[in-house]
Every structure is written in structure tokens, then in C-alpha cells.
Amino acid sequence: MRFTEELIAALKIIDRGDLTPAEMKGAWAGELGQTQFLASSYLKFAVDFDGNGKRDLIRSVPNVLASTANYLKGYGWQPGAPFSEGSANFAVLKEWNKSPVYQKTIAVFAQRLMSGG
């Protein structure tokens, strides 16, 4: 049933004009865009931050960044709070990707970005 719902969400993305069927190329599990949203998450969290009338998470960096922030906010991200393992924000990362390696990688990379190296 899950992938039936994802198919319906993908058709809605096409219907609202965000992407064409030819543009809907993604990862092996069906995720779309630079930060790999399932179609249902794309529908729920994608935003048109660049103001062109489309929620394009493939080519529009402003849309990608704003949509990813919207996604994290939707799962309870707390700005300024820690995101290390065991924190509330780390739990939000689990909503994005269930892989502990992925979650830890994001946390380490973000920490390095914050420290300038």
C-alpha cells in the first residue's frame, strides 16, 4: 500500500506542474530531488522559494534548501538546539533517513561546517 500512496503522490506532483514525468528521475528507491524526498514528502514539504511557481527540488537550490528546512521543521527541528546523537534534533534526522550511519554523518558534517573546517 505504501508505494501505491507514493505513486499517487508522484502523479499529484505532475498534476500541479512541479515536475514533468521525464524530470521525475531519482534514486533507486524512488526519492526525488537533491535531498531525496519520497513523493509524499515532496507534496507535503516542498516550497517554491525562488518564486517561479514550481516546487523544483531537482534544479532550484533555493527551493531545495527551503524545502529541506521545511521538512525538518515539520518533524520538530528546534533551531539553535544541539543535533548530536541523543538530542531532539538528532531524532528529527531519523525521520529523514532511518540509517544511523546517515544520521551520524549529517551530524558530523554539520558540526564541521559550524566550526569552519
Side-chain angles (χ1 to χ4, degrees):
M1 186 70 173
R2 174 171 176 100
F3 289 102
T4 301
E5 293 171 5
E6 294 302 325
L7 173 61
I8 292 168
L11 293 171
K12 288 180 180 178
I13 292 167
I14 294 167
D15 189 52
R16 73 181 186 186
D18 292 336
L19 299 171
T20 67
E23 292 171 318
M24 296 186 83
K25 296 176 185 169
W28 67 271
E31 303 95 345
L32 298 163
Q34 293 180 35
T35 52
Q36 302 291 282
F37 283 15
L38 287 174
S40 58
S41 294
Y42 200 112
L43 269 182
K44 187 173 181 179
F45 297 110
V47 295
D48 173 22
F49 198 75
D50 64 13
N52 73 351
K54 294 184 179 189
R55 298 163 195 92
D56 180 355
L57 304 187
I58 296 172
R59 290 174 300 276
S60 172
V61 172
N63 288 358
V64 169
L65 294 175
S67 298
T68 302
N70 192 39
Y71 182 99
L72 294 172
K73 179 183 173 189
Y75 281 101
W77 186 267
Q78 299 168 14
F83 46 81
S84 55
E85 195 167 0
S87 70
N89 281 342
F90 192 81
V92 171
L93 295 176
K94 289 181 179 181
E95 293 299 325
W96 186 358
N97 191 302
K98 304 299 183 204
S99 167
V101 171
Y102 188 86
Q103 298 150 16
K104 290 175 185 178
T105 300
I106 291 172
V108 168
F109 183 68
Q111 188 61 46
R112 286 186 181 174
L113 283 174
M114 289 177 59
S115 66

CSV table of all heavy atoms in Angstrom, one decimal, residues 48-109:
chain,number,residue,atom,x,y,z
A,48,ASP,N,8.0,26.7,-3.0
A,48,ASP,CA,8.5,27.5,-4.2
A,48,ASP,C,9.2,28.7,-3.6
A,48,ASP,O,8.6,29.8,-3.5
A,48,ASP,CB,7.4,27.8,-5.1
A,48,ASP,CG,7.8,28.8,-6.2
A,48,ASP,OD1,9.0,28.9,-6.5
A,48,ASP,OD2,6.9,29.5,-6.7
A,49,PHE,N,10.5,28.6,-3.2
A,49,PHE,CA,11.2,29.7,-2.6
A,49,PHE,C,11.7,30.7,-3.6
A,49,PHE,O,11.9,31.8,-3.3
A,49,PHE,CB,12.3,29.1,-1.7
A,49,PHE,CG,12.8,30.1,-0.7
A,49,PHE,CD1,12.1,30.4,0.5
A,49,PHE,CD2,14.1,30.7,-0.9
A,49,PHE,CE1,12.6,31.3,1.4
A,49,PHE,CE2,14.6,31.6,0.1
A,49,PHE,CZ,13.8,31.9,1.2
A,50,ASP,N,12.0,30.2,-4.8
A,50,ASP,CA,12.5,31.1,-5.8
A,50,ASP,C,11.4,31.9,-6.6
A,50,ASP,O,11.7,32.7,-7.4
A,50,ASP,CB,13.4,30.4,-6.8
A,50,ASP,CG,12.7,29.3,-7.6
A,50,ASP,OD1,11.5,29.2,-7.7
A,50,ASP,OD2,13.5,28.5,-8.3
A,51,GLY,N,10.2,31.6,-6.3
A,51,GLY,CA,9.0,32.3,-6.8
A,51,GLY,C,8.7,32.1,-8.2
A,51,GLY,O,8.0,32.9,-8.8
A,52,ASN,N,9.1,31.0,-8.8
A,52,ASN,CA,8.8,30.8,-10.2
A,52,ASN,C,7.5,30.0,-10.5
A,52,ASN,O,7.2,29.6,-11.6
A,52,ASN,CB,10.0,30.1,-11.0
A,52,ASN,CG,10.2,28.7,-10.6
A,52,ASN,OD1,9.5,28.2,-9.7
A,52,ASN,ND2,11.0,28.0,-11.4
A,53,GLY,N,6.8,29.7,-9.4
A,53,GLY,CA,5.5,28.9,-9.5
A,53,GLY,C,5.7,27.4,-9.5
A,53,GLY,O,4.7,26.7,-9.6
A,54,LYS,N,6.9,26.9,-9.3
A,54,LYS,CA,7.1,25.5,-9.3
A,54,LYS,C,7.9,25.1,-8.0
A,54,LYS,O,8.8,25.9,-7.6
A,54,LYS,CB,7.9,25.0,-10.5
A,54,LYS,CG,7.1,25.1,-11.8
A,54,LYS,CD,7.9,24.5,-12.9
A,54,LYS,CE,7.1,24.7,-14.2
A,54,LYS,NZ,7.7,23.9,-15.3
A,55,ARG,N,7.7,24.0,-7.5
A,55,ARG,CA,8.4,23.4,-6.4
A,55,ARG,C,9.4,22.4,-7.0
A,55,ARG,O,9.2,21.2,-7.0
A,55,ARG,CB,7.5,22.8,-5.4
A,55,ARG,CG,6.5,23.7,-4.8
A,55,ARG,CD,5.4,22.9,-4.1
A,55,ARG,NE,4.2,23.7,-3.8
A,55,ARG,CZ,3.2,23.9,-4.6
A,55,ARG,NH1,3.2,23.4,-5.8
A,55,ARG,NH2,2.2,24.7,-4.3
A,56,ASP,N,10.5,23.0,-7.5
A,56,ASP,CA,11.5,22.1,-8.2
A,56,ASP,C,12.7,21.8,-7.3
A,56,ASP,O,13.5,22.7,-7.0
A,56,ASP,CB,12.0,22.9,-9.5
A,56,ASP,CG,13.0,22.1,-10.3
A,56,ASP,OD1,13.5,21.1,-9.8
A,56,ASP,OD2,13.4,22.6,-11.3
A,57,LEU,N,12.7,20.6,-6.8
A,57,LEU,CA,13.8,20.2,-5.9
A,57,LEU,C,14.9,19.5,-6.6
A,57,LEU,O,15.8,18.9,-6.0
A,57,LEU,CB,13.2,19.3,-4.8
A,57,LEU,CG,12.0,19.8,-4.0
A,57,LEU,CD1,11.7,18.9,-2.8
A,57,LEU,CD2,12.3,21.2,-3.5
A,58,ILE,N,14.9,19.6,-7.9
A,58,ILE,CA,16.0,19.0,-8.7
A,58,ILE,C,17.0,20.1,-9.1
A,58,ILE,O,18.2,19.9,-9.0
A,58,ILE,CB,15.4,18.2,-9.9
A,58,ILE,CG1,14.6,17.0,-9.5
A,58,ILE,CG2,16.6,17.8,-10.9
A,58,ILE,CD1,13.8,16.3,-10.6
A,59,ARG,N,16.5,21.2,-9.7
A,59,ARG,CA,17.4,22.2,-10.2
A,59,ARG,C,17.4,23.5,-9.4
A,59,ARG,O,18.4,24.3,-9.5
A,59,ARG,CB,16.9,22.6,-11.6
A,59,ARG,CG,17.2,21.5,-12.6
A,59,ARG,CD,16.6,21.8,-14.0
A,59,ARG,NE,15.2,22.0,-13.9
A,59,ARG,CZ,14.3,21.0,-13.9
A,59,ARG,NH1,14.6,19.8,-14.1
A,59,ARG,NH2,13.0,21.3,-13.9
A,60,SER,N,16.5,23.8,-8.6
A,60,SER,CA,16.4,25.0,-7.8
A,60,SER,C,17.0,24.9,-6.4
A,60,SER,O,16.4,24.4,-5.5
A,60,SER,CB,15.0,25.6,-7.7
A,60,SER,OG,15.0,26.7,-6.9
A,61,VAL,N,18.2,25.4,-6.3
A,61,VAL,CA,18.9,25.3,-4.9
A,61,VAL,C,18.1,26.1,-3.9
A,61,VAL,O,17.9,25.5,-2.8
A,61,VAL,CB,20.3,25.8,-5.0
A,61,VAL,CG1,21.0,26.0,-3.6
A,61,VAL,CG2,21.2,24.9,-5.9
A,62,PRO,N,17.5,27.3,-4.2
A,62,PRO,CA,16.7,27.9,-3.1
A,62,PRO,C,15.5,27.1,-2.7
A,62,PRO,O,15.2,26.9,-1.5
A,62,PRO,CB,16.2,29.2,-3.8
A,62,PRO,CG,17.3,29.5,-4.8
A,62,PRO,CD,17.7,28.2,-5.3
A,63,ASN,N,14.9,26.4,-3.7
A,63,ASN,CA,13.7,25.5,-3.3
A,63,ASN,C,14.2,24.3,-2.5
A,63,ASN,O,13.5,23.9,-1.6
A,63,ASN,CB,13.0,25.1,-4.6
A,63,ASN,CG,12.2,26.1,-5.3
A,63,ASN,OD1,12.1,27.3,-4.8
A,63,ASN,ND2,11.7,25.8,-6.4
A,64,VAL,N,15.3,23.8,-2.9
A,64,VAL,CA,15.9,22.6,-2.2
A,64,VAL,C,16.2,22.9,-0.7
A,64,VAL,O,15.7,22.2,0.2
A,64,VAL,CB,17.1,22.1,-2.9
A,64,VAL,CG1,17.8,21.0,-2.0
A,64,VAL,CG2,16.8,21.5,-4.2
A,65,LEU,N,16.9,24.0,-0.5
A,65,LEU,CA,17.2,24.4,0.9
A,65,LEU,C,16.0,24.8,1.7
A,65,LEU,O,15.9,24.3,2.8
A,65,LEU,CB,18.3,25.5,0.8
A,65,LEU,CG,19.6,25.2,0.2
A,65,LEU,CD1,20.5,26.4,0.1
A,65,LEU,CD2,20.3,24.1,1.0
A,66,ALA,N,15.1,25.5,1.1
A,66,ALA,CA,13.9,25.9,1.9
A,66,ALA,C,13.0,24.7,2.1
A,66,ALA,O,12.4,24.6,3.2
A,66,ALA,CB,13.2,27.0,1.1
A,67,SER,N,12.9,23.8,1.2
A,67,SER,CA,12.1,22.7,1.4
A,67,SER,C,12.6,21.7,2.4
A,67,SER,O,11.9,21.1,3.2
A,67,SER,CB,11.9,21.9,0.0
A,67,SER,OG,11.2,22.8,-0.9
A,68,THR,N,14.0,21.6,2.4
A,68,THR,CA,14.6,20.7,3.4
A,68,THR,C,14.4,21.3,4.8
A,68,THR,O,14.1,20.6,5.7
A,68,THR,CB,16.1,20.5,3.0
A,68,THR,OG1,16.2,19.9,1.7
A,68,THR,CG2,16.8,19.6,4.0
A,69,ALA,N,14.6,22.6,4.9
A,69,ALA,CA,14.3,23.2,6.2
A,69,ALA,C,12.9,23.1,6.6
A,69,ALA,O,12.6,22.8,7.8
A,69,ALA,CB,14.7,24.7,6.1
A,70,ASN,N,11.9,23.2,5.7
A,70,ASN,CA,10.5,23.0,6.0
A,70,ASN,C,10.2,21.6,6.4
A,70,ASN,O,9.5,21.3,7.3
A,70,ASN,CB,9.7,23.3,4.7
A,70,ASN,CG,8.2,23.4,5.0
A,70,ASN,OD1,7.8,24.0,6.1
A,70,ASN,ND2,7.4,23.0,4.1
A,71,TYR,N,10.9,20.6,5.8
A,71,TYR,CA,10.8,19.2,6.2
A,71,TYR,C,11.2,19.0,7.6
A,71,TYR,O,10.5,18.4,8.4
A,71,TYR,CB,11.6,18.3,5.2
A,71,TYR,CG,11.5,16.9,5.4
A,71,TYR,CD1,10.7,16.1,4.7
A,71,TYR,CD2,12.3,16.2,6.4
A,71,TYR,CE1,10.6,14.7,4.9
A,71,TYR,CE2,12.3,14.9,6.6
A,71,TYR,CZ,11.4,14.1,5.8
A,71,TYR,OH,11.4,12.8,6.1
A,72,LEU,N,12.4,19.5,7.9
A,72,LEU,CA,13.0,19.3,9.3
A,72,LEU,C,12.1,20.0,10.3
A,72,LEU,O,11.8,19.4,11.4
A,72,LEU,CB,14.4,19.8,9.3
A,72,LEU,CG,15.4,19.0,8.5
A,72,LEU,CD1,16.8,19.8,8.5
A,72,LEU,CD2,15.6,17.6,9.0
A,73,LYS,N,11.6,21.2,10.0
A,73,LYS,CA,10.7,21.9,10.9
A,73,LYS,C,9.4,21.1,11.1
A,73,LYS,O,8.9,21.1,12.2
A,73,LYS,CB,10.4,23.3,10.3
A,73,LYS,CG,9.4,24.1,11.1
A,73,LYS,CD,9.1,25.4,10.4
A,73,LYS,CE,8.0,26.2,11.2
A,73,LYS,NZ,7.6,27.3,10.4
A,74,GLY,N,8.9,20.5,10.0
A,74,GLY,CA,7.7,19.7,10.1
A,74,GLY,C,7.8,18.5,11.1
A,74,GLY,O,6.8,18.1,11.6
A,75,TYR,N,9.0,18.0,11.3
A,75,TYR,CA,9.3,16.9,12.2
A,75,TYR,C,9.8,17.4,13.5
A,75,TYR,O,10.2,16.6,14.4
A,75,TYR,CB,10.2,15.9,11.6
A,75,TYR,CG,9.5,15.0,10.6
A,75,TYR,CD1,9.6,15.2,9.2
A,75,TYR,CD2,8.6,14.0,11.0
A,75,TYR,CE1,8.9,14.5,8.3
A,75,TYR,CE2,7.9,13.2,10.1
A,75,TYR,CZ,8.1,13.4,8.8
A,75,TYR,OH,7.4,12.7,7.9
A,76,GLY,N,9.8,18.7,13.8
A,76,GLY,CA,10.1,19.2,15.1
A,76,GLY,C,11.5,19.7,15.3
A,76,GLY,O,11.9,19.9,16.5
A,77,TRP,N,12.2,20.1,14.3
A,77,TRP,CA,13.5,20.6,14.4
A,77,TRP,C,13.5,21.9,15.3
A,77,TRP,O,12.6,22.7,15.1
A,77,TRP,CB,14.1,21.0,13.0
A,77,TRP,CG,15.5,21.4,13.1
A,77,TRP,CD1,16.0,22.7,13.2
A,77,TRP,CD2,16.7,20.6,13.1
A,77,TRP,NE1,17.4,22.7,13.3
A,77,TRP,CE2,17.8,21.4,13.2
A,77,TRP,CE3,16.9,19.2,13.0
A,77,TRP,CZ2,19.1,21.0,13.2
A,77,TRP,CZ3,18.2,18.7,13.0
A,77,TRP,CH2,19.3,19.6,13.1
A,78,GLN,N,14.4,22.0,16.2
A,78,GLN,CA,14.5,23.1,17.1
A,78,GLN,C,15.7,23.9,16.8
A,78,GLN,O,16.8,23.5,17.0
A,78,GLN,CB,14.6,22.6,18.6
A,78,GLN,CG,13.4,21.8,19.0
A,78,GLN,CD,13.6,21.0,20.3
A,78,GLN,OE1,14.5,21.3,21.0
A,78,GLN,NE2,12.7,20.1,20.6
A,79,PRO,N,15.5,25.1,16.1
A,79,PRO,CA,16.6,26.0,15.8
A,79,PRO,C,17.5,26.3,16.9
A,79,PRO,O,17.0,26.6,18.0
A,79,PRO,CB,15.9,27.2,15.2
A,79,PRO,CG,14.6,26.8,14.9
A,79,PRO,CD,14.2,25.7,15.8
A,80,GLY,N,18.8,26.2,16.7
A,80,GLY,CA,19.8,26.5,17.7
A,80,GLY,C,20.0,25.4,18.8
A,80,GLY,O,21.0,25.5,19.6
A,81,ALA,N,19.2,24.4,18.7
A,81,ALA,CA,19.4,23.3,19.7
A,81,ALA,C,20.4,22.3,19.1
A,81,ALA,O,20.7,22.3,17.9
A,81,ALA,CB,18.1,22.6,19.9
A,82,PRO,N,21.0,21.5,20.0
A,82,PRO,CA,22.0,20.6,19.5
A,82,PRO,C,21.4,19.5,18.6
A,82,PRO,O,20.2,19.3,18.6
A,82,PRO,CB,22.5,19.8,20.8
A,82,PRO,CG,21.8,20.5,22.0
A,82,PRO,CD,20.8,21.4,21.4
A,83,PHE,N,22.3,19.0,17.8
A,83,PHE,CA,21.8,17.9,16.8
A,83,PHE,C,22.7,16.7,16.9
A,83,PHE,O,22.7,15.8,16.1
A,83,PHE,CB,21.8,18.5,15.4
A,83,PHE,CG,23.1,19.2,15.0
A,83,PHE,CD1,24.2,18.5,14.6
A,83,PHE,CD2,23.1,20.6,15.1
A,83,PHE,CE1,25.4,19.2,14.3
A,83,PHE,CE2,24.2,21.3,14.8
A,83,PHE,CZ,25.4,20.6,14.4
A,84,SER,N,23.4,16.6,18.0
A,84,SER,CA,24.3,15.5,18.3
A,84,SER,C,23.4,14.2,18.7
A,84,SER,O,22.3,14.4,19.0
A,84,SER,CB,25.3,15.8,19.4
A,84,SER,OG,24.6,16.2,20.5
A,85,GLU,N,24.0,13.1,18.6
A,85,GLU,CA,23.3,11.8,19.0
A,85,GLU,C,22.7,11.9,20.3
A,85,GLU,O,23.3,12.4,21.3
A,85,GLU,CB,24.3,10.7,18.9
A,85,GLU,CG,23.7,9.3,18.9
A,85,GLU,CD,24.6,8.2,18.5
A,85,GLU,OE1,25.8,8.5,18.3
A,85,GLU,OE2,24.1,7.1,18.5
A,86,GLY,N,21.4,11.6,20.4
A,86,GLY,CA,20.7,11.6,21.7
A,86,GLY,C,19.9,12.9,21.9
A,86,GLY,O,19.0,12.9,22.7
A,87,SER,N,20.1,13.9,21.0
A,87,SER,CA,19.3,15.1,21.1
A,87,SER,C,18.0,15.0,20.4
A,87,SER,O,17.8,14.1,19.6
A,87,SER,CB,20.1,16.3,20.5
A,87,SER,OG,20.2,16.2,19.1
A,88,ALA,N,17.1,16.0,20.7
A,88,ALA,CA,15.8,16.0,20.0
A,88,ALA,C,16.0,16.2,18.5
A,88,ALA,O,15.3,15.6,17.7
A,88,ALA,CB,14.9,17.1,20.5
A,89,ASN,N,16.9,17.1,18.1
A,89,ASN,CA,17.2,17.3,16.7
A,89,ASN,C,17.8,16.1,16.0
A,89,ASN,O,17.5,15.8,14.8
A,89,ASN,CB,18.1,18.5,16.5
A,89,ASN,CG,17.3,19.8,16.6
A,89,ASN,OD1,16.0,19.8,16.5
A,89,ASN,ND2,18.0,20.9,16.8
A,90,PHE,N,18.5,15.3,16.7
A,90,PHE,CA,19.1,14.0,16.1
A,90,PHE,C,17.9,13.1,15.8
A,90,PHE,O,17.9,12.4,14.8
A,90,PHE,CB,20.1,13.4,17.1
A,90,PHE,CG,20.9,12.3,16.4
A,90,PHE,CD1,21.9,12.5,15.6
A,90,PHE,CD2,20.5,11.0,16.6
A,90,PHE,CE1,22.7,11.5,15.0
A,90,PHE,CE2,21.2,9.9,16.0
A,90,PHE,CZ,22.3,10.2,15.2
A,91,ALA,N,16.9,13.1,16.7
A,91,ALA,CA,15.7,12.3,16.4
A,91,ALA,C,15.0,12.7,15.2
A,91,ALA,O,14.4,11.9,14.4
A,91,ALA,CB,14.8,12.3,17.7
A,92,VAL,N,15.0,14.0,14.9
A,92,VAL,CA,14.4,14.5,13.7
A,92,VAL,C,15.1,14.0,12.5
A,92,VAL,O,14.5,13.6,11.5
A,92,VAL,CB,14.4,16.1,13.7
A,92,VAL,CG1,13.9,16.6,12.3
A,92,VAL,CG2,13.5,16.6,14.8
A,93,LEU,N,16.5,13.9,12.5
A,93,LEU,CA,17.2,13.3,11.4
A,93,LEU,C,16.8,11.9,11.2
A,93,LEU,O,16.9,11.5,10.0
A,93,LEU,CB,18.7,13.4,11.7
A,93,LEU,CG,19.3,14.8,11.8
A,93,LEU,CD1,20.8,14.7,12.2
A,93,LEU,CD2,19.1,15.6,10.6
A,94,LYS,N,16.4,11.2,12.2
A,94,LYS,CA,15.9,9.8,12.0
A,94,LYS,C,14.6,9.8,11.1
A,94,LYS,O,14.3,8.8,10.5
A,94,LYS,CB,15.6,9.1,13.3
A,94,LYS,CG,16.9,8.8,14.1
A,94,LYS,CD,16.6,8.1,15.4
A,94,LYS,CE,17.8,7.8,16.1
A,94,LYS,NZ,17.6,7.1,17.4
A,95,GLU,N,13.8,10.9,11.2
A,95,GLU,CA,12.6,10.9,10.4
A,95,GLU,C,13.0,11.1,8.9
A,95,GLU,O,12.3,10.7,8.0
A,95,GLU,CB,11.7,12.1,10.8
A,95,GLU,CG,11.1,11.8,12.2
A,95,GLU,CD,10.3,10.6,12.3
A,95,GLU,OE1,9.6,10.3,11.3
A,95,GLU,OE2,10.3,9.9,13.3
A,96,TRP,N,14.1,11.7,8.6
A,96,TRP,CA,14.6,12.0,7.3
A,96,TRP,C,15.1,10.7,6.7
A,96,TRP,O,14.8,10.3,5.6
A,96,TRP,CB,15.6,13.1,7.3
A,96,TRP,CG,16.1,13.5,5.9
A,96,TRP,CD1,15.7,13.1,4.7
A,96,TRP,CD2,17.0,14.6,5.7
A,96,TRP,NE1,16.4,13.8,3.7
A,96,TRP,CE2,17.1,14.7,4.3
A,96,TRP,CE3,17.7,15.5,6.5
A,96,TRP,CZ2,18.0,15.7,3.7
A,96,TRP,CZ3,18.5,16.4,5.9
A,96,TRP,CH2,18.7,16.5,4.5
A,97,ASN,N,16.0,10.0,7.4
A,97,ASN,CA,16.6,8.8,7.0
A,97,ASN,C,16.8,7.9,8.1
A,97,ASN,O,17.4,8.2,9.1
A,97,ASN,CB,17.9,9.1,6.3
A,97,ASN,CG,18.5,7.9,5.5
A,97,ASN,OD1,18.7,6.9,6.1
A,97,ASN,ND2,18.7,8.1,4.2
A,98,LYS,N,16.3,6.6,8.0
A,98,LYS,CA,16.3,5.7,9.1
A,98,LYS,C,17.7,5.1,9.4
A,98,LYS,O,17.9,4.4,10.4
A,98,LYS,CB,15.4,4.5,8.9
A,98,LYS,CG,13.9,5.0,8.6
A,98,LYS,CD,13.3,5.7,9.8
A,98,LYS,CE,11.9,6.1,9.5
A,98,LYS,NZ,11.4,7.2,10.3
A,99,SER,N,18.7,5.3,8.5
A,99,SER,CA,20.0,4.8,8.7
A,99,SER,C,20.8,5.5,9.7
A,99,SER,O,21.1,6.7,9.6
A,99,SER,CB,20.8,4.8,7.3
A,99,SER,OG,22.1,4.6,7.5
A,100,PRO,N,21.3,4.8,10.8
A,100,PRO,CA,22.1,5.5,11.8
A,100,PRO,C,23.4,6.1,11.2
A,100,PRO,O,23.9,7.1,11.6
A,100,PRO,CB,22.4,4.4,12.8
A,100,PRO,CG,21.4,3.4,12.6
A,100,PRO,CD,21.0,3.5,11.1
A,101,VAL,N,24.0,5.4,10.2
A,101,VAL,CA,25.2,6.0,9.6
A,101,VAL,C,24.9,7.3,8.9
A,101,VAL,O,25.6,8.3,9.0
A,101,VAL,CB,25.8,4.9,8.5
A,101,VAL,CG1,26.9,5.6,7.7
A,101,VAL,CG2,26.2,3.7,9.3
A,102,TYR,N,23.8,7.4,8.2
A,102,TYR,CA,23.3,8.6,7.6
A,102,TYR,C,23.2,9.8,8.6
A,102,TYR,O,23.6,10.9,8.4
A,102,TYR,CB,22.1,8.4,6.8
A,102,TYR,CG,21.6,9.5,5.9
A,102,TYR,CD1,22.1,9.6,4.6
A,102,TYR,CD2,20.7,10.5,6.3
A,102,TYR,CE1,21.7,10.6,3.8
A,102,TYR,CE2,20.2,11.5,5.5
A,102,TYR,CZ,20.7,11.6,4.2
A,102,TYR,OH,20.3,12.6,3.4
A,103,GLN,N,22.5,9.4,9.7
A,103,GLN,CA,22.2,10.4,10.7
A,103,GLN,C,23.5,10.9,11.4
A,103,GLN,O,23.7,12.1,11.5
A,103,GLN,CB,21.3,9.8,11.8
A,103,GLN,CG,20.0,9.4,11.3
A,103,GLN,CD,19.4,8.2,12.1
A,103,GLN,OE1,19.9,7.9,13.2
A,103,GLN,NE2,18.4,7.5,11.6
A,104,LYS,N,24.4,10.0,11.7
A,104,LYS,CA,25.6,10.4,12.3
A,104,LYS,C,26.5,11.2,11.3
A,104,LYS,O,27.2,12.2,11.7
A,104,LYS,CB,26.4,9.2,12.8
A,104,LYS,CG,25.7,8.5,14.0
A,104,LYS,CD,26.4,7.2,14.3
A,104,LYS,CE,25.7,6.6,15.5
A,104,LYS,NZ,26.3,5.3,15.8
A,105,THR,N,26.5,10.9,10.0
A,105,THR,CA,27.2,11.6,9.0
A,105,THR,C,26.7,13.0,8.9
A,105,THR,O,27.5,14.0,8.9
A,105,THR,CB,27.1,10.9,7.7
A,105,THR,OG1,27.7,9.6,7.8
A,105,THR,CG2,27.9,11.6,6.6
A,106,ILE,N,25.4,13.2,8.9
A,106,ILE,CA,24.9,14.6,8.8
A,106,ILE,C,25.3,15.4,10.1
A,106,ILE,O,25.7,16.5,9.9
A,106,ILE,CB,23.3,14.5,8.8
A,106,ILE,CG1,22.9,14.0,7.4
A,106,ILE,CG2,22.7,15.9,9.0
A,106,ILE,CD1,21.4,13.7,7.4
A,107,ALA,N,25.2,14.8,11.2
A,107,ALA,CA,25.6,15.5,12.5
A,107,ALA,C,27.1,15.9,12.5
A,107,ALA,O,27.4,17.0,12.8
A,107,ALA,CB,25.3,14.6,13.7
A,108,VAL,N,27.9,15.0,12.0
A,108,VAL,CA,29.4,15.3,12.0
A,108,VAL,C,29.7,16.3,11.0
A,108,VAL,O,30.4,17.3,11.2
A,108,VAL,CB,30.2,14.0,11.7
A,108,VAL,CG1,31.6,14.3,11.4
A,108,VAL,CG2,30.1,13.0,12.9
A,109,PHE,N,29.1,16.2,9.8
A,109,PHE,CA,29.3,17.2,8.7
A,109,PHE,C,28.8,18.6,9.1
A,109,PHE,O,29.5,19.6,9.0
A,109,PHE,CB,28.6,16.7,7.4
A,109,PHE,CG,28.8,17.7,6.3
A,109,PHE,CD1,30.1,17.8,5.7
A,109,PHE,CD2,27.8,18.4,5.7
A,109,PHE,CE1,30.3,18.6,4.6
A,109,PHE,CE2,28.0,19.3,4.7
A,109,PHE,CZ,29.3,19.4,4.1
